[in-house]
Amino acid sequence: MINKQLKLILVSTPIGYLGSGKGGGVEITIISLIKGLILLGHKIILIAPKGSKLPFESKLLEIRLIDGIDQPSWQHQKTSDPVLIPFNSVLPKLWEEVIDIANESDAVINFAYDWLPLWLTKIQAIKIFHLISMGAESLIMKEIISEIGQLFPSQLAFHTKIQSKDYSLKNEPIIVGNGFDMENYFFNKNENGPLGWAGRIAPEKGLEDAVKVANDLDEKLLVWGFIEDKEYASKIENIFKKEIVEWRGFLPTNQFQEQLGRCRALLNTPKWNEAYGNVIVEAMACGVPVIAYDLGGPGELIEDGFNGFLVKPNDIEGLIKATKLISEIKRKNCRDWFEIKATNKVFAERVENWLYKGLNKKNSDDLQD
Ligand code: UDP
């Protein structure tokens, strides 16, 4: 039974460098997991696109930066689109580096939601573990993830149960949730702040519904996030009065949490099967209750009436009603939920457990499961 200090290679998202915001929630997942795994005593080599930065250093951490063109993200392609690898793409280069040094490690963890690393799992002897960060957004991704789920079930993990249901898996899925560094988020007890919304500014995140709520309540909505789709952002500006939305930009975590913590509620209005919903937990870490559509991850993070409210997807009236009731939620409940379920420590322990179990399995065991 392997149960020791692990030498791990973590391979970052090829969508953008860490800190760019282009990688969405995956960026903070990687950063907090690295810190959590180091706290547990594991050694990490992070392979990431050039420009990536981590907010801490450690003797147990080495970073290798790789130059190349960003990979297009799957959430903005049509379901039947083929795999696309641009000229001089960073994705294959990240994996050439992995293959070069993999024999020095116990395991590789992949954070890319992309076809190549999943396919490599079939043809390489190295154990590649995949933390799947999205629901099934394309046929070919659904096919390869489902196939790896059949061949090597112990090497796949998901953030939530509902996310995993998008794929055809033969075993009970491994769910690791997500986690955030407790030291980075401060509890704010003020109950009377503004309404907030946070996330990538892109159609699948449904910002327009939250703006509608603020508009109907005659309030401002504070918005944080990376503007991924400029056309979509200006469409929102044109539909509603200019002064409703207060764009706060894409901020580093310390500033983001400080501003977010002043809100009386966070609205979360996804239009897709949200794999997890980092901003929900980050808000709760600051004591901010969340009102979210019950679509994907939010349904597993929000305990209706305890740390926020769940509303039927697309039900704007439901969001408004919940917003009016938000003072019924104790802000302390939100922080407590976070401390028990979603710190980077508990997240790293779940991931460690997943890795130990997977490393103790021979591929033939996986096939018999
Ligand atoms: N975020 C940030 N600064 C901001 C607004 C958002 O760093 O000003 C980060 C936030 O911490 C979260 C990510 O953006 O980790 C959005 O992740 P989420 O899981 O909510 O959605 P995704 O973009 O992955 O679909």
Side-chain angles (χ1 to χ4, degrees):
M1 171 90 179
I2 302 174
N3 213 334
K4 53 161 192 171
Q5 178 190 49
L6 296 173
K7 285 190 200 134
L8 301 169
I9 298 176
L10 270 59
V11 196
S12 191
T13 169
I15 307 281
Y17 63 86
L18 287 177
S20 67
K22 286 175 82 178
V26 179
E27 293 188 25
I28 208 156
T29 302
I30 297 170
I31 295 169
S32 25
L33 181 60
I34 290 177
K35 191 151 180 206
L37 289 170
I38 286 175
L39 285 173
L40 296 175
H42 301 298
K43 268 188 151 166
I44 312 285
I45 298 178
L46 170 69
I47 303 182
K50 196 172 160 192
S52 295
K53 281 193 196 81
L54 290 193
F56 54 85
E57 290 178 358
S58 164
K59 280 196 292 234
L60 293 174
L61 171 66
E62 180 193 336
I63 306 179
R64 297 194 177 202
L65 298 175
I66 307 292
D67 204 1
I69 300 296
D70 292 345
Q71 193 64 16
S73 91
W74 277 101
Q75 69 257 40
H76 299 129
Q77 292 172 47
K78 291 195 223 64
T79 34
S80 58
D81 274 357
V83 174
L84 199 135
I85 298 194
F87 171 69
N88 197 23
S89 167
V90 76
L91 177 64
K93 293 182 185 200
L94 292 169
W95 286 88
E96 280 163 22
E97 183 72 17
V98 173
I99 290 164
D100 262 4
I101 61 167
N103 59 357
E104 298 161 28
S105 74
D106 294 303
V108 176
I109 313 180
N110 166 45
F111 294 88
Y113 186 89
D114 223 313
W115 185 84
L116 183 70
L118 287 146
W119 178 77
L120 279 175
T121 314
K122 293 198 294 180
I123 61 150
Q124 281 287 326
I126 45 178
K127 282 244 181 189
I128 308 176
F129 291 79
H130 304 269
L131 179 48
I132 304 297
S133 59
M134 291 205 282
E137 289 301 301
S138 96
L139 287 173
I140 189 151
M141 285 303 295
K142 180 171 178 165
E143 180 185 52
I144 189 81
I145 291 171
S146 302
E147 189 184 359
I148 298 303
Q150 305 281 331
L151 294 173
F152 311 106
S154 65
Q155 287 169 236
L156 274 194
F158 299 85
H159 289 296
T160 55
K161 264 198 196 120
I162 190 135
Q163 171 208 7
S164 73
K165 289 207 164 76
D166 271 9
Y167 302 97
S168 316
L169 306 168
K170 70 168 182 175
N171 290 19
E172 199 44 39
I174 297 164
I175 308 298
V176 293
N178 212 340
F180 305 84
D181 190 344
M182 215 157 95
E183 288 174 9
N184 291 345
Y185 300 85
F186 296 100
F187 179 69
N188 184 326
K189 58 181 191 333
N190 173 29
E191 290 173 2
N192 301 313
L195 293 175
W197 186 97
R200 275 178 301 108
I201 316 296
E204 69 273 15
K205 307 299 270 184
L207 170 60
E208 66 276 22
D209 289 14
V211 182
K212 177 95 175 69
V213 171
N215 183 73
D216 290 7
L217 292 171
D218 207 14
E219 284 195 46
K220 255 191 193 317
L221 181 72
L222 273 46
V223 174
W224 296 268
F226 176 73
I227 302 191
E228 191 172 57
D229 187 332
K230 292 199 175 77
E231 214 174 291
Y232 169 72
S234 55
K235 221 191 258 169
I236 289 180
E237 280 184 326
N238 293 335
I239 302 174
F240 299 98
K241 277 184 287 178
K242 262 242 166 334
E243 50 284 7
I244 302 282
V245 176
E246 190 172 314
W247 300 100
R248 291 287 179 101
F250 181 75
L251 304 179
T253 302
N254 60 341
Q255 293 171 31
F256 174 50
Q257 67 83 32
E258 198 272 325
Q259 298 189 11
L260 181 63
R262 294 189 212 169
C263 290
R264 78 174 188 285
L266 181 85
L267 300 173
N268 188 262
T269 44
K271 301 280 174 179
W272 67 339
N273 183 7
E274 186 73 67
Y276 187 79
N278 285 5
V279 294
I280 294 175
V281 177
E282 292 176 272
M284 294 199 290
C286 304
V288 178
V290 183
I291 300 164
Y293 286 153
D294 191 0
L295 188 62
E300 290 174 37
L301 306 175
I302 295 172
E303 292 173 28
D304 194 48
F306 178 75
N307 51 9
F309 292 114
L310 284 169
V311 172
K312 267 201 325 274
N314 305 317
D315 179 5
I316 310 253
E317 280 313 308
L319 291 175
I320 294 175
K321 212 168 130 201
T323 305
K324 289 181 178 160
L325 295 175
I326 204 66
S327 60
E328 290 179 5
I329 306 290
K330 288 197 186 80
R331 292 174 75 90
K332 187 72 179 46
N333 290 353
C334 303
R335 176 75 187 189
D336 289 349
W337 187 96
F338 159 70
E339 287 188 8
I340 295 166
K341 308 264 181 142
T343 62
N344 62 341
K345 183 167 178 288
V346 292
F347 177 43
E349 283 166 358
R350 289 189 293 253
V351 169
E352 181 190 57
N353 192 30
W354 167 43
L355 297 175
Y356 282 148
K357 279 197 180 140
L359 288 169
N360 282 311
K361 272 201 160 174
K362 294 195 199 77
N363 287 348
S364 51
D365 297 342
D366 252 355
L367 288 171
Q368 278 159 20
D369 274 349

